[in-house]
Amino acid sequence: MEQFFQQIINGISLGSIYALIALGYTMVYGIIKLINFAHGDVYMVGAYIGYFCMTSFHMGFLPSLFIAMTFCVILGVAIEKIAYKPLRNATRIAVLITAIGVSLFIEYGTMFFVKADVRSYPPLTGLLVKSFKLGDIVITMQQLLIVGITVILMVLLQFIVKRTRIGKAMRAVSLDKEAAELMGINVNTTISFTFVLGSALAGAAGVLVGIYYNSINPLMGIMPGLKAFVAAVFGGIGIIPGAMIGGYFIGTLEVMVSGYGNSMFRDAVVFAVLILILIVKPSGLLGKETREKV
Amino acid sequence: MKKIASVLLLALLISALFVSCSAPGAANINEIKIGINYELSGEVATYGQSSVEGIELAIEQVNAAGGINGKKIVPVKYDNKSEPSEATTLANKLITQDKVIAILGPATSGSFMGQIPVANKNKIPVASGSATADDVTVTENGVQEYAFRVCFNDSFQGTVMANFASENLSAKNAVVIMDSSSDYGKGLAKNFKSTFTAAGGTIVDEVAFVKGDTDFNAILTKIKGQNFDVIYIPGYYNEAGLIIKQARAQGITAPILGADGFDSPTLLELAGASALNDVYFTNHYSSLDQDPNVLKFIDDFKAKYNKEPDAFNALGYDVAMFMIDAIGRSDALTGEAVKNALEATEGFVGVTGTLSVDENHNPVKSIVVIGLKDGKQDSSLKVNP
């Protein structure tokens, strides 16, 4: 039983990371119907910015987190302006292929600058290395930090989307772009803002992964990016609470498969979930049936 | 007069013919080109970089002492980016374009094996300092004629570690956490298991991971509930470092055993000094060794690079010296003659031990078990074959 609870804790920590990345996927999809494959790489860049803040400039955890998020916001908006905006009225497949191109560009561009080697975050000190014991269950401070920061960011996101003017504009644009434009909403600003939010969350996930696993490399964004995508689809792509639920579900599922089954099947099970959900309920867990009008 | 002129012309033509004939083979008659094909960037870059540091030290020393029988060694160095396909391409380039007489590297078994067919086809000997997989020099079709190495193979490492666990650590139950994406991990695990069970031990659980994994909490939680005395991790430092860190964070205090894949400064960076206690791994060499040969190497290395040499530095140095020794003994400067000289190596004194080449092109040499305390090498135990 203790083992089960320990695995749940492991799953929630991992799931938080997936949820943070999945939110970016789902928001961008909700607003411009684009699977932004470069999103996992924004997360990777976030991890590197955090690394350089901590090693080269000896900053603490929170300032590094903040700078990484800021830098990722700039990167995310730049990607949108340079690569996606000129294709706003192009076919969806053209934008999708561009997204894959941007993803490869960031991965190998980063590899050119920082080399392909694995780097490790500096050793943590003080509060961050503490761990708590409840019987046989061990909870590390880093796990608490990941879950804590994830929850805070999610609450903040819900607040922005539900309670502010720009959040209202985002929801309006995702519902009907043309109508929103006719109502005087600046669609381009709104889309950029969506990238701002998504990239900030990805940047935060990058730094959190850095301190949790303390191992980063230029291709680290690929797998978590794909799994976060599965999480977003599972919860219903375009739906924010769906991405959170999906993230935690995929994280826990992975841990359970490794813990009680065979760790070799872990990734296979995650992608089997993607196939299953696309067959059984393509709109995802929280998605509504929508019929194409002819 | 006319006759003399035509004789002179003929002589000139003939000599020109000779010159042009001999030009491609002996353009630099006072040089010997050796190819260096190593992982200077990518996944296992520290192995390649360290090996090359050792090789360059060796070449520098030999050249300073007059070269091989008066001929200077010219190294031709390429980076294979830790990719086996790139290693094969570079081997081709070194042989056909750069016309090297022998190739050193790559450091890992997969990349090294990639270039062996090229070496056999072109009759150019290749030698690795650290390709430890069992089937590197011998396949089902017999020995790979032009492939050599100066390191022991994985079966030997797995066997020695299993004996160390049951005899020195009195372990009865072991858990194996294996890198199932590499031949290296699988080979070590197989030999550890067979020796450990033969000595009366039990393998209580066996879990696997693949290259690039970062989250091991699930598998560690799974094994934590079981009764075991030691954990054996046949894998490379990138994942091993994270496993050790996460295991210690979860409160697993059992000794952790590994192989030469642990030997990298990155292991310490990833796991942290406090996690690296009660960690033992088999290795080719220890800087704690008091052998005069080793001490001289450590001094020379420190003078050039201003740091303590690791095992890959020592292996790089040895593989270069091993090849240079054979080139010096060969009766002609051809790949085939050097190969014959390599096969005849007997009692070659290297930093990582004295070795002879057996009929499978494997070295017969000793092995070291290193113990870590707070991330530093604390004990070393030499085991002879």
Side-chain angles (χ1 to χ4, degrees):
Chain A
M1 205 60 206
E2 273 119 8
Q3 192 187 336
F4 180 75
F5 283 117
Q6 181 77 58
Q7 296 289 27
I8 292 279
I9 290 164
N10 296 337
I12 288 174
S13 322
L14 185 63
S16 297
I17 303 293
Y18 291 154
L20 280 179
I21 307 174
L23 284 169
Y25 268 113
T26 228
M27 283 193 293
V28 168
Y29 184 86
I31 208 149
I32 52 170
K33 302 284 175 283
L34 160 71
I35 314 266
N36 180 13
F37 276 112
H39 193 62
D41 302 300
V42 174
Y43 148 85
M44 175 272 293
V45 171
Y48 269 92
I49 298 298
Y51 170 82
F52 286 117
C53 284
M54 288 185 194
T55 53
S56 305
F57 302 104
H58 303 289
M59 284 187 229
F61 167 68
L62 282 175
S64 305
L65 182 75
F66 184 72
I67 290 173
M69 287 171 77
T70 315
F71 192 89
C72 285
V73 163
I74 297 168
L75 178 69
V77 173
I79 292 172
E80 196 267 327
K81 293 273 185 239
I82 296 166
Y84 302 151
K85 198 178 162 202
L87 297 171
R88 190 72 28 96
N89 295 315
T91 54
R92 275 169 69 183
I93 194 80
V95 194
L96 188 74
I97 293 168
T98 309
I100 295 171
V102 171
S103 162
L104 292 172
F105 175 76
I106 299 179
E107 280 158 21
Y108 291 93
T110 310
M111 199 182 275
F112 175 77
F113 287 111
V114 300
K115 305 251 172 61
D117 315 351
V118 170
R119 285 168 193 255
S120 58
Y121 262 53
L124 301 167
T125 47
L127 258 181
L128 286 174
V129 284
K130 288 228 162 26
S131 60
F132 306 95
K133 277 196 172 165
L134 298 168
D136 265 357
I137 305 170
V138 182
I139 305 174
T140 63
M141 195 65 194
Q142 295 150 26
Q143 288 175 325
L144 285 181
L145 195 72
I146 286 180
V147 177
I149 289 186
T150 305
V151 169
I152 292 170
L153 289 175
M154 282 178 183
V155 170
L156 208 64
L157 180 71
Q158 275 295 327
F159 175 79
I160 292 172
V161 173
K162 296 275 174 190
R163 296 262 185 272
T164 60
R165 274 174 71 89
I166 187 87
K168 207 180 217 174
M170 276 171 68
R171 282 181 290 145
V173 173
S174 91
L175 218 59
D176 189 330
K177 202 160 86 186
E178 279 78 29
E181 204 161 9
L182 289 173
M183 296 299 120
I185 292 171
N186 187 338
V187 172
N188 278 330
T189 317
T190 313
I191 292 173
S192 292
F193 187 72
T194 311
F195 275 87
V196 165
L197 289 180
S199 305
L201 295 178
V207 179
L208 289 174
V209 157
I211 60 154
Y212 188 36
Y213 299 130
N214 96 8
S215 156
I216 58 172
N217 70 73
L219 300 181
M220 66 186 274
I222 300 176
M223 220 26 178
L226 286 176
K227 284 179 183 161
F229 170 66
V230 177
V233 173
F234 177 83
I237 192 144
I239 304 162
I240 290 175
M244 297 181 197
I245 297 172
Y248 283 113
F249 174 78
I250 295 294
T252 317
L253 177 72
E254 243 189 47
V255 165
M256 291 301 164
V257 171
S258 308
Y260 293 98
N262 185 331
S263 54
M264 289 293 98
F265 293 133
R266 190 191 59 200
D267 295 350
V269 169
V270 171
F271 293 109
V273 165
L274 176 66
I275 296 171
L276 266 183
I277 208 93
L278 288 177
I279 294 172
V280 179
K281 198 168 186 297
S283 53
L285 197 63
L286 302 183
K288 288 191 207 77
E289 286 299 325
T290 46
R291 289 224 169 74
E292 288 274 310
K293 288 189 198 86
V294 187
Chain B
M1 195 60 212
K2 215 174 169 186
K3 211 171 183 179
I4 298 169
S6 61
V7 167
L8 268 176
L9 195 72
L10 195 72
L12 210 77
L13 275 175
I14 290 170
S15 60
L17 200 72
F18 267 103
V19 170
S20 62
C21 271
S22 54
N28 298 307
I29 200 138
N30 289 320
E31 284 181 355
I32 294 175
K33 275 189 178 175
I34 297 183
I36 297 179
N37 180 358
Y38 269 99
E39 295 84 345
L40 301 177
S41 66
E43 199 64 39
V44 290
T46 71
Y47 298 157
Q49 289 159 358
S50 293
S51 302
V52 171
E53 282 172 351
I55 292 173
E56 285 177 340
L57 175 67
I59 292 177
E60 192 184 291
Q61 287 181 353
V62 172
N63 277 343
I68 306 175
N69 301 332
K71 294 188 173 69
K72 287 263 183 282
I73 305 164
V74 180
V76 186
K77 183 168 77 173
Y78 292 123
D79 172 16
N80 63 38
K81 305 183 176 66
S82 307
E83 285 170 20
S85 55
E86 183 74 14
T88 313
T89 311
L90 289 178
N92 251 317
K93 190 176 172 195
L94 282 165
I95 294 170
T96 56
Q97 286 181 22
D98 298 305
K99 310 261 183 227
V100 297
I101 192 166
I103 297 176
L104 303 177
T108 52
S109 302
S111 297
F112 185 62
M113 280 154 94
Q115 73 169 4
I116 293 176
V118 182
N120 285 339
K121 202 178 104 200
N122 294 292
K123 300 199 167 169
I124 292 295
V126 292
S128 173
S130 47
T132 53
D134 285 348
D135 53 354
V136 163
T137 54
V138 180
T139 62
E140 298 137 356
N141 309 323
V143 64
Q144 298 274 22
E145 238 190 306
Y146 282 84
F148 295 86
R149 57 177 157 194
V150 295
C151 51
F152 40 70
N153 54 358
D154 291 341
S155 354
F156 189 47
Q157 287 201 75
T159 308
V160 167
M161 201 29 113
N163 286 331
F164 179 81
S166 46
E167 283 160 27
N168 299 51
L169 301 174
S170 337
K172 291 270 166 290
N173 301 308
V175 170
V176 177
I177 305 179
M178 171 181 69
D179 177 357
S180 67
S181 59
S182 70
D183 291 345
Y184 172 76
K186 287 188 273 193
L188 283 172
K190 192 173 131 229
N191 287 294
F192 179 86
K193 284 187 289 182
S194 58
T195 314
F196 193 72
T197 43
T202 318
I203 304 288
V204 280
D205 201 357
E206 197 186 337
V207 284
F209 62 90
V210 292
K211 189 171 106 174
D213 278 1
T214 48
D215 190 318
F216 303 96
N217 285 314
I219 55 176
L220 289 169
T221 303
K222 182 186 174 190
I223 62 165
K224 197 183 164 190
Q226 284 154 355
N227 176 31
F228 59 89
D229 308 312
V230 290
I231 302 177
Y232 188 54
I233 309 177
Y236 294 112
Y237 57 88
N238 276 340
E239 290 83 21
L242 294 178
I243 296 175
I244 296 172
K245 175 179 178 242
Q246 292 169 20
R248 296 296 190 234
Q250 284 212 14
I252 297 174
T253 52
I256 293 176
L257 317 175
D260 60 337
F262 278 27
D263 189 45
S264 162
T266 311
L267 185 83
L268 174 60
E269 286 169 26
L270 288 173
S274 60
L276 288 174
N277 277 312
D278 244 353
V279 173
Y280 301 90
F281 62 98
T282 44
N283 208 350
H284 307 267
Y285 142 96
S286 162
S287 53
L288 302 172
D289 202 328
Q290 292 303 314
D291 188 275
N293 223 342
V294 177
L295 292 177
K296 181 178 178 307
F297 166 72
I298 294 175
D299 283 346
D300 292 346
F301 191 88
K302 272 189 184 158
K304 183 167 161 70
Y305 297 106
N306 201 18
K307 64 176 182 187
E308 202 64 46
D310 64 19
F312 282 88
N313 294 136
L315 287 168
Y317 184 84
D318 273 3
V319 74
M321 284 303 194
F322 173 70
M323 188 59 85
I324 289 165
D325 170 66
I327 296 174
R329 282 185 291 110
S330 68
D331 40 28
L333 278 181
T334 64
E336 204 166 351
V338 174
K339 180 209 83 174
N340 291 334
L342 284 168
E343 276 179 341
T345 304
E346 192 77 51
F348 166 80
V349 182
V351 177
T352 61
T354 302
L355 66 91
S356 304
V357 174
D358 72 5
E359 73 281 5
N360 288 334
H361 289 192
N362 284 324
V364 182
K365 66 191 283 197
S366 59
I367 194 168
V368 182
V369 178
I370 293 175
L372 296 180
K373 192 178 177 193
D374 290 326
K376 290 202 175 60
Q377 295 197 4
D378 183 57
S379 63
S380 80
L381 181 80
K382 215 168 201 167
V383 184
N384 286 314

